[in-house]
């Protein structure tokens, strides 16, 4: 810098001398050129004043008294040329600043967002007119003071807002919070507030600018949607519950009532046979009687099967795992499919309430395997993985293109999700065409595990054949 300044000082002095001797335009152009170079080199106006002062010192003594006036006018003209580039650049800067300020002004006035601008060190704050309007105030009704806003934030949201602000200033995390503000009328409105601070090199924030938008309507819609979803879920759970109860009742009646009557019919028929032996003339043909017995047996079988399909009595009598075991046995035999079982029998004692839900999930998953997969092998897992119970049914079939949105008529998976949600859990599916279909139910143990001894007793009667981990071919 000093070298450049020294060179410039010498050049300026020489240029000024030439100008004083010849007074021509070219010398003035030279002064302008020197000024432009100085500006480009990052020199300032004070440097220019020093250069000029040095030139005056060097020249002024040689000027006759009566020449002084003309001399001063000439050097001032020369100096003005040196300064011209600086002046122009300041002008340009001013124009750009004005344009930018106008743009900001327009943006603030036209914005649907309410803008705020805060200096953390002095706590000076600016709220745009629209900011105040969101809070129900005219521009002159709410002071540009941070406390005015802090007083209006809902007490339940206050901690969250200040914490978000603090972490933004300290750790530069995104500042994006939703909170309620009390309006002039006294009601609360939801706003979303976003902002961005500017930091000095030392790390402290010196300014933060942001905006708020009124999201009250969105919040209201979200809440209405949440409530309606909740109601639908409760309704669906209620319908499922009634359906299961109804099925269980019909199953019981079929089994007990119809079953008993059929047994009675069989006894009556055999009585007929016995009496017939005493009166040989009216003996009914044995073939006909045998046919009747067979028919009654078939009927009894059908009744038992239909009853079991409606509601597996085993579920109530023996518990979840024996019922699932029997279900898998039947599935494996009916569809000639190998099922590999990993059942952590002693790891979980299931409560009564969850039995039907878990059983139906497994039943639907197996039905899907039979219906859609074309698989040759299924792996069934039921394990404890604190704090969850994991039930997994995976086949080696054709799989499916993964689609998060189930089809309009696919109620199987939807039902499973509902049942899982009812227990506070979820269903995850992992599949792709050609690589099998794996369905996992992740259920919180708190919802499926028995808490009191009574349910434990009812579940403890597990069949001896369930090993901790077993392969069935
Ligand atoms: N094990 C599986 N293998 C291949 N595709 C399956 C399997 N399970 C389910 N899917 C696919 O997911 C779809 C939805 O299943 P689901 O909701 O039970 O409806 P549905 O069985 O009535 O078609 C099925 O139509 C099928 O395309
Ligand atoms: Mg299905």
């Amino acid at each position: 810098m000093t070298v450049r300044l020294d060179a410039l000082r010498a050049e300026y002095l020489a240029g000024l001398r030439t100008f004083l001797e010849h007074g021509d335009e070219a010398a003035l152009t030279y002064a302008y050129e020197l000024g432009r170079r100085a500006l480009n080199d990052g020199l300032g106006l004070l440097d220019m004043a020093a250069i000029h002062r040095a030139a005056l010192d060097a020249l002024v003594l040689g000027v006759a008294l009566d020449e002084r006036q003309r001399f001063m006018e000439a050097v001032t003209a020369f100096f003005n040329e040196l300064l011209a580039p600086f002046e122009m650049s300041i002008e340009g800067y001013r124009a750009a600043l004005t344009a930018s300020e106008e743009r900001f002004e327009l943006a603030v006035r036209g914005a649907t967002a309410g803008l705020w601008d805060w200096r953390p060190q002095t706590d000076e704050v600016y709220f745009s007119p629209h900011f105040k309007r969101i809070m129900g105030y005219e521009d002159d009704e709410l002071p540009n003071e941070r406390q005015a806003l802090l007083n209006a934030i809902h007490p339940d949201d206050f901690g969250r807002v200040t914490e978000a602000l603090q972490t933004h200033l300290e750790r530069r995390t995104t500042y994006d919070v939703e909170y309620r503000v009390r309006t002039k009328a006294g009601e609360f409105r939801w706003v979303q507030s976003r902002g961005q601070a500017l930091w000095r090199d030392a790390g402290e924030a010196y300014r933060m600018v942001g905006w708020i938008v009124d999201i009250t309507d969105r919040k209201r819609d979200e809440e209405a949607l949440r409530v309606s979803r909740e109601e639908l879920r409760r309704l669906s759970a209620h319908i499922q519950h009634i359906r299961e109860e109804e099925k269980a009742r019909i199953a019981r009646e079929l089994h007990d009532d119809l079953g008993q009557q059929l047994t009675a019919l069989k006894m009556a028929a055999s009585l007929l046979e016995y009496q017939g032996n005493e009166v040989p003339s009216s003996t009914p043909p044995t073939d006909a009687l045998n046919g009747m017995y067979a028919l009654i047996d078939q009927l009894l079988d059908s009744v038992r099967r239909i009853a079991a399909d409606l509601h597996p009595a085993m579920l109530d009598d023996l518990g979840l795992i024996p019922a699932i075991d029997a279900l898998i046995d039947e599935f494996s035999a009916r569809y000639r499919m190998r099922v590999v079982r990993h059942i952590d029998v002693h790891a979980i004692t299931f409560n009564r309430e969850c039995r039907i839900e878990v059983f139906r999930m497994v039943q639907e998953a197996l039905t899907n395997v039979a219906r859609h997969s074309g698989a040759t092998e299924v792996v069934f897992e039921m394990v404890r993985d604190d704090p969850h119970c994991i039930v997994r049914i995976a086949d080696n079939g054709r799989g499916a293109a993964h689609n998060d949105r189930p089809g309009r008529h696919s109620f199987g998976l939807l039902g499973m999700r509902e049942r899982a949600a009812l227990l506070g859990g979820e269903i995850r599916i992992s599949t792709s065409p050609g690589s099998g279909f794996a369905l996992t139910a992740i259920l919180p143990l708190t919802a499926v595990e028995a808490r009191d001894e009574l349910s434990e007793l009812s579940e403890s009667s597990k069949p001896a054949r369930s090993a901790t981990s077993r392969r069935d071919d």
Side-chain angles (χ1 to χ4, degrees):
M1 187 74 92
T2 33
V3 179
R4 245 182 280 153
L5 202 58
D6 287 344
L8 198 70
R9 189 181 294 135
E11 283 170 300
Y12 183 76
L13 182 58
L16 184 54
R17 256 202 196 106
T18 317
F19 180 61
L20 290 172
E21 279 163 25
H22 307 290
D24 62 351
E25 275 294 310
L28 281 179
T29 313
Y30 181 64
Y32 179 85
E33 190 50 38
L34 288 181
R36 213 179 52 76
R37 242 174 53 206
L39 184 68
N40 283 348
D41 286 351
L43 297 175
L45 286 172
L46 287 179
D47 297 322
M48 297 307 99
I51 287 171
H52 182 59
R53 176 73 205 270
L56 282 187
D57 285 349
L59 297 171
V60 77
L61 286 179
V63 181
L65 263 178
D66 56 341
E67 284 288 304
R68 286 263 162 96
Q69 178 68 22
R70 202 187 63 80
F71 171 80
M72 283 315 289
E73 279 168 17
V75 293
T76 305
F78 194 79
F79 185 46
N80 281 345
E81 284 302 313
L82 178 78
L83 295 184
F86 285 89
E87 222 164 85
M88 278 162 71
S89 91
I90 290 169
E91 265 316 302
Y93 178 69
R94 269 208 198 102
L97 192 66
T98 311
S100 145
E101 270 172 359
E102 276 173 3
R103 258 200 307 277
F104 180 71
E105 180 76 27
L106 282 174
V108 169
R109 256 191 281 143
T112 49
L115 301 177
W116 51 270
D117 186 350
W118 173 49
R119 316 272 160 159
Q121 272 130 8
T122 58
D123 218 15
E124 281 171 273
V125 80
Y126 165 77
F127 299 127
S128 75
H130 192 75
F131 186 106
K132 297 177 186 178
R133 222 167 297 132
I134 287 174
M135 292 177 62
Y137 293 97
E138 289 305 316
D139 195 13
D140 55 3
E141 283 181 328
L142 193 76
N144 280 332
E145 286 166 15
R146 206 157 76 92
Q147 201 54 43
L149 173 63
L150 295 182
N151 288 343
I153 296 177
H154 195 290
D156 292 352
D157 302 340
F158 192 83
R160 215 158 33 78
V161 177
T162 46
E163 194 189 314
L165 197 63
Q166 208 55 38
T167 47
H168 177 68
L169 294 178
E170 282 167 12
R171 282 187 255 139
R172 311 194 180 194
T173 48
T174 316
Y175 176 74
D176 185 351
V177 277
E178 296 179 356
Y179 59 88
R180 285 159 288 179
V181 281
R182 194 189 304 104
T183 63
K184 185 182 167 188
E187 45 148 26
F188 280 101
R189 292 195 78 79
W190 275 99
V191 295
Q192 179 186 24
S193 179
R194 283 173 169 228
Q196 177 68 51
L198 296 168
W199 291 271
R200 279 191 226 291
D201 291 342
E204 93 261 57
Y206 64 94
R207 186 173 181 180
M208 186 164 171
V209 181
W211 47 259
I212 60 165
V213 276
D214 189 329
I215 54 163
T216 310
D217 291 347
R218 196 192 85 198
K219 280 280 176 188
R220 209 172 279 149
D221 292 350
E222 276 174 9
E223 179 59 15
L225 196 66
R226 195 191 60 75
V227 169
S228 136
R229 271 220 190 104
E230 178 76 14
E231 281 172 357
L232 272 178
R233 182 150 277 168
R234 280 218 313 274
L235 179 68
S236 138
H238 179 64
I239 293 173
Q240 292 274 33
H241 182 72
I242 299 180
R243 246 184 98 223
E244 292 295 353
E245 286 207 322
E246 189 69 2
K247 277 179 166 184
R249 190 184 60 78
I250 297 172
R252 236 181 354 256
E253 273 182 19
L254 272 177
H255 186 267
D256 296 354
D257 200 39
L258 212 60
Q260 269 171 26
Q261 290 186 42
L262 281 171
T263 312
L265 183 66
K266 205 169 151 187
M267 278 166 66
S270 68
L271 211 60
L272 192 68
E273 190 180 19
Y274 174 72
Q275 282 172 350
N277 284 343
E278 292 206 332
V279 190
S281 61
S282 61
T283 302
T286 322
D287 279 356
L289 260 181
N290 285 343
M292 236 169 98
Y293 289 146
L295 213 60
I296 295 173
D297 282 340
Q298 266 177 31
L299 265 171
L300 265 169
D301 268 356
S302 295
V303 166
R304 284 199 194 105
R305 191 170 38 74
I306 294 169
D309 275 354
L310 277 170
H311 183 86
M314 242 188 190
L315 206 54
D316 304 328
D317 302 342
L318 298 177
L320 179 62
I321 292 175
I324 287 182
D325 251 329
L327 179 75
I328 294 177
D329 285 345
E330 197 204 318
F331 168 84
S332 187
R334 192 190 294 178
Y335 299 103
R336 296 210 176 82
M337 223 177 280
R338 202 172 107 99
V339 182
V340 181
R341 290 175 234 208
H342 300 288
I343 306 180
D344 242 352
V345 185
H346 301 292
I348 307 171
T349 307
F350 290 94
N351 62 38
R352 282 187 167 272
E353 300 77 52
C354 78
R355 284 179 186 173
I356 193 71
E357 311 296 346
V358 180
F359 183 85
R360 292 290 187 218
M361 279 189 240
V362 176
Q363 194 176 34
E364 174 61 30
L366 290 177
T367 307
N368 275 353
V369 171
R371 201 191 281 172
H372 305 294
S373 75
T376 55
E377 184 178 291
V378 183
V379 176
F380 178 84
E381 275 176 288
M382 196 151 162
V383 294
R384 182 188 186 104
D385 181 12
D386 276 283
H388 294 110
C389 162
I390 310 288
V391 184
R392 188 162 177 274
I393 301 106
D395 65 54
N396 66 348
R398 67 177 67 93
H402 202 305
N403 187 359
D404 281 335
R405 298 171 134 264
R408 275 177 150 276
H409 304 289
S410 300
F411 293 112
L413 292 178
L414 200 66
M416 278 192 256
R417 286 190 206 287
E418 282 297 309
R419 287 185 195 274
L422 205 67
L423 297 171
E426 59 172 318
I427 297 283
R428 286 191 197 154
I429 288 167
S430 161
T431 182
S432 62
S435 61
F437 194 100
L439 183 139
T440 312
I442 301 162
L443 310 169
L445 283 167
T446 47
V448 299
E449 207 164 24
R451 245 162 276 142
D452 51 290
E453 281 177 22
L454 234 137
S455 336
E456 264 178 48
L457 277 177
S458 62
E459 265 288 323
S460 63
S461 45
K462 282 161 194 153
R465 57 179 299 255
S466 297
T468 301
S469 180
R470 191 181 59 210
R471 285 177 78 92
D472 281 7
D473 290 359

